[in-house]
Structure formats: structure tokens, C-alpha cells
Amino acid sequence: MHRIEFWRDIHTKLGDFRLAIDSDGGLHTGWKSIGQHPAGGCHAPTLREDIAQWVRGYLDGLVEPPPPFDIPSATPFRGRCLEACRRLPPGITISYSQLAELAGSPSAARAAGSAMRHNATPLLIPCHRVIRSSGEPGGFAGRNTHDDPAVMLKMRLQELEAPSDV
């Protein structure tokens, strides 16, 4: 893993969200409120303003694809899982088994879960859209109890994307 070079925090209604760039140019993100954010490097208050604006808009209901960014390096299977997850449309959830199938390894549901656990770019790569086959949310940021703030954040992100009844 490459070290974090630059970072900035974005204040949102769901807590502070950190953007960071590693020494290879890969983007890292995370929620400070759940203790899952990239650390190190130098503060850069205007870092990736395009993504900062996207994050704010997204959390205010403007669900559109994020600006282009480089995914941090990963193993081949994890990379395929991240790319498959990146393509999931808002408001859609799939199971870890379905993600493994999209990544080319249908029997690797646990490995797909691990790939989501190690997603260095949550929200932009929407791992909150991957759930257990039972329909339960599963884990988020390495935690998996329903009352954990991380899992509650995952469910809140799903709620933000849910189609509204008209």
C-alpha cells in the first residue's frame, strides 16, 4: 500500500468525510465519525474539489456518477470486485455472491465480502450497495452488528438512494 500524500475533510450531514491521495495517485476516502478514514500526509484544503462537490451533492440527493478517479492498487480479484461495485446503479443492492459472480468468481462470496471490507474508496465505490443474500445489510467498515454506527451509516446511505414514492 502506498502512503497518503495529501488529504482534506468535507463536512457533511452524515459527518466528516475524508478525501486523500496516495503516493501512486490512488484516491482514498472514509468517514471520520466511524474511525474509518485515511491518515497521514499533508492537509490540502482544495484537494479534488470536483469530488468534494460530488460528495456534498450526492448526500443532498443528487445521485449521479462521481468524477473519474484512480482506484488504489489491489489484488486482481479485489480490483474486479471494486470495478463491478463501481458500476452498480444507485438504489440497487446485490449480494456478496452476486458481486463475486460479476467479478468472475461465482463461488468467492467471502472473498467478495473481504474486497468490500478493504474498499479504500467508500461512497465513490458504493460498497454500501452490497448486502447479505438474506437481505440484511452485512458489514460496513469491518463491523457487522446492526446497532454499530458503521452499519447504521451503511443503511442510511441505502436510504438516501432509495426511490421516493411519488
Side-chain angles (χ1 to χ4, degrees), residues 59-138:
L59 295 174
D60 283 338
L62 301 173
V63 181
E64 58 187 44
F69 64 93
D70 291 332
I71 297 173
S73 59
T75 65
F77 179 72
R78 281 189 182 166
R80 290 192 307 273
C81 284
L82 293 170
E83 286 297 339
C85 184
R86 188 182 208 174
R87 293 188 300 269
L88 295 175
I92 300 296
T93 57
I94 64 169
S95 70
Y96 295 102
S97 295
Q98 290 169 311
L99 180 62
E101 188 171 334
L102 290 173
S105 297
S107 62
R110 291 179 67 105
S114 179
M116 294 299 93
R117 161 64 181 97
H118 292 95
N119 175 13
T121 317
L123 189 61
L124 285 93
I125 295 181
C127 54
H128 60 275
R129 296 178 189 155
V130 185
I131 62 173
R132 292 182 177 153
S133 57
S134 66
E136 293 186 22

Side-chain angles (χ1 to χ4, degrees), residues 128-153:
H128 60 275
R129 296 178 189 155
V130 185
I131 62 173
R132 292 182 177 153
S133 57
S134 66
E136 293 186 22
F140 194 64
R143 305 200 203 112
N144 57 21
T145 57
H146 281 289
D147 60 348
D148 187 283
V151 176
M152 291 168 50
L153 176 60

Side-chain angles (χ1 to χ4, degrees), residues 10 12 17 19 51-60 123-124:
I10 303 163
T12 76
F17 186 75
L19 296 179
I51 292 179
Q53 288 179 10
W54 178 87
V55 168
R56 288 185 197 105
Y58 177 87
L59 295 174
D60 283 338
L123 189 61
L124 285 93

